[in-house]
Amino acid sequence: MKEIALKLQGKIKRLTNKTFKFDERVREGWFSAVYFLKTREIVEKHKPNNTVTMQFFQKTNAILCGTDEVIALIKTFAKDPDSLEIYSLKDGDKIKPFETVMRITGPYQNFGYLEGIIDGIFSRRTSVATNVYNVVKSARKSGHQKPVIFMGDRDDHFTQQSGDGYAAFIGGSIAQATHAMNEWWGKKGMGTMPHALIQLFEGDVVAATHAYKETFPEDELMALVDYNNDVVTDALKVAREFGEELKGVRVDTSRTMVDQYFCRNPEVMGSFDPRGANPELLFALRKALDDEGYTHVKIIATGGFTAERIAEYEDLSVPVDIYGVGSSLLKINIGFTGDNVMLNGKSEAKAGRRYRENSRLERVE
């Protein structure tokens, strides 16, 4: 059983290195800034009996993620981790600018070299969780929560997928593109067909969909319909062929393309940007499907979506049932800072920084 299941059942409070599987070179200082390593040596030689308090914060409203990972990092690589007193918020907590999200007290030489790694974990995980949260929030403006598929596999290095997928889960995405993205939170990746499958059937969407259905009969049947840049025509082709078996069509029209629907209906042009999976195209697709009785077929829209763009679509009541979002969710826009603010129980910090109490912090056992 995965640790996330035990955590959700209340049997454990935090995920551990059994989930995170840290690179053992962390212990050697391989990933730590050299000046932290040098400081550790100096402190061991000249100030071995001092106790410091280090606190971590950031500067915006955000959804916190990375606390379990950071605590597991400390428990795994700090010297004598039981000597450290740790207070922390939890993954998924909403946080404010300058709010202390974690506080660590103990001998500097036992944990100080991990400061930059901790900042990095918090920054990436919180950025992704917050980005996803904002997209998910936009996707419920209509009063109904529309699913958001996390499709960030092609937008960053593959080694980041597990952590990014967990952060996306914390942010509210419950469907993700790869198995790796689901590794830490216990699900499997989901997806239907790429353009490559249709290309291998020489652009024949119906033939490609038949092959998919034959190979994966247990899957909900979702057809990709923008390969030929004629969304309405190809969506109706697969709907007529598969009827009730067709559960959805995905539109992924490039932002540099104008669908052939507008070439056939130039009279509707002139008051909007006709490129990509624009609202007018999706309204036309919905009407075409409904007019032939395929009201059950859902529309999945992907390609270049952000929280702002989804909010615009929802304000216009664009008939999208599911959004697929990728690159905008991986922007690292939240930076964390770790500061030493107490020395041997007394205030001691660089100018402009001070100890910040936070009653929401919970002691980590």
Side-chain angles (χ1 to χ4, degrees):
M1 181 179 293
K2 285 185 177 290
E3 283 191 318
I4 188 66
L6 298 175
K7 182 178 178 180
L8 293 175
Q9 293 170 14
K11 295 180 179 179
I12 61 174
K13 289 186 175 181
R14 301 274 183 176
L15 304 178
T16 73
N17 196 26
K18 291 180 181 178
T19 291
F20 303 119
K21 301 179 178 66
F22 295 119
D23 190 321
E24 276 298 317
R25 291 175 296 175
V26 171
R27 196 182 309 279
E28 305 165 14
W30 188 250
F31 301 99
S32 295
V34 170
Y35 65 4
F36 289 136
L37 304 178
K38 290 180 176 178
T39 299
R40 179 175 61 180
E41 288 191 39
I42 293 169
V43 171
E44 287 174 340
K45 182 177 181 181
H46 295 280
K47 296 286 185 178
N49 298 318
N50 280 344
T51 297
V52 301
T53 295
M54 184 183 296
Q55 66 187 18
F56 295 85
F57 71 95
Q58 52 82 57
K59 301 177 182 178
T60 188
N61 292 307
I63 303 300
L64 179 63
C65 189
T67 62
D68 284 10
E69 193 174 356
V70 166
I71 291 166
L73 178 90
I74 295 167
K75 295 292 187 182
T76 304
F77 297 113
K79 181 180 178 182
D80 190 16
D82 291 338
S83 70
L84 304 177
E85 183 179 83
I86 305 173
Y87 285 81
S88 177
L89 296 180
K90 296 179 179 178
D91 290 347
D93 281 347
K94 293 182 178 180
I95 55 175
K96 298 178 180 179
F98 296 99
E99 181 177 7
T100 300
V101 303
M102 181 175 288
R103 186 171 67 235
I104 309 168
T105 300
Y108 178 88
Q109 63 272 25
N110 287 8
F111 72 95
Y113 83 106
L114 298 172
E115 177 185 333
I117 302 175
I118 293 171
D119 285 337
I121 290 172
F122 276 141
S123 295
R124 186 175 188 100
R125 303 295 180 244
T126 300
S127 290
V128 174
T130 303
N131 293 340
V132 172
Y133 173 84
N134 289 333
V135 163
V136 170
K137 183 179 178 181
S138 292
R140 64 170 175 265
K141 286 193 71 177
S142 64
H144 167 67
Q145 180 64 71
K146 297 179 179 180
V148 173
I149 304 173
F150 180 54
M151 302 174 67
D153 53 298
R154 68 188 59 196
D155 299 300
D156 206 346
H157 198 277
F158 73 93
T159 56
Q160 301 300 319
Q161 288 187 17
S162 295
D164 289 344
Y166 172 74
F169 164 69
I170 292 297
S173 171
I174 58 173
Q176 303 181 11
T178 74
H179 296 317
M181 290 175 182
N182 294 264
E183 179 183 5
W184 292 1
W185 63 282
K187 302 293 182 180
K188 290 185 178 181
M190 67 155 291
T192 54
M193 62 178 68
H195 295 101
L197 179 63
I198 301 171
Q199 183 256 357
L200 290 164
F201 285 85
E202 300 177 331
D204 189 333
V205 178
V206 171
T209 306
H210 267 297
Y212 184 96
K213 180 177 178 293
E214 179 183 331
T215 308
F216 300 101
E218 302 303 317
D219 282 9
E220 288 196 337
L221 192 61
M222 305 277 189
L224 180 60
V225 295
D226 66 278
Y227 182 89
N228 297 303
N229 197 39
D230 197 351
V231 162
V232 173
T233 298
D234 278 350
L236 289 176
K237 283 181 179 179
V238 292
R240 292 162 182 162
E241 182 72 14
F242 296 98
E244 291 294 324
E245 293 180 306
L246 181 68
K247 302 305 180 184
V249 291
R250 180 162 75 94
V251 181
D252 189 43
T253 305
S254 168
R255 298 295 293 271
T256 63
M257 299 286 286
V258 176
D259 189 271
Q260 292 187 46
Y261 169 81
F262 297 113
C263 299
R264 292 191 297 271
N265 299 276
E267 68 279 3
V268 305
M269 303 269 281
S271 61
F272 62 93
D273 184 347
R275 296 172 299 174
N278 63 79
E280 293 299 326
L281 178 60
L282 297 174
F283 278 120
L285 173 59
R286 181 74 274 162
K287 183 178 186 303
L289 289 168
D290 291 352
D291 284 350
E292 294 200 17
Y294 304 116
T295 56
H296 67 283
V297 176
K298 293 181 178 180
I299 295 176
I300 303 97
T302 59
F305 279 95
T306 64
E308 294 75 19
R309 188 179 174 204
I310 291 174
E312 292 174 2
Y313 277 46
E314 291 301 294
D315 286 339
L316 294 170
S317 298
V318 180
V320 176
D321 298 290
I322 301 171
Y323 291 98
V325 190
S327 61
S328 69
L329 301 180
L330 296 180
K331 296 184 185 299
I332 309 303
N333 46 30
I334 298 173
F336 276 77
T337 299
D339 279 327
N340 287 351
V341 293
M342 302 281 284
L343 180 64
N344 299 322
K346 297 180 180 180
S347 294
E348 180 63 44
K350 81 171 189 175
R353 300 292 164 81
R354 61 180 173 81
Y355 176 79
R356 292 178 182 270
E357 183 57 70
N358 185 356
S359 61
R360 296 207 295 154
L361 294 174
E362 297 181 4
R363 182 161 185 170
V364 177
E365 301 298 334

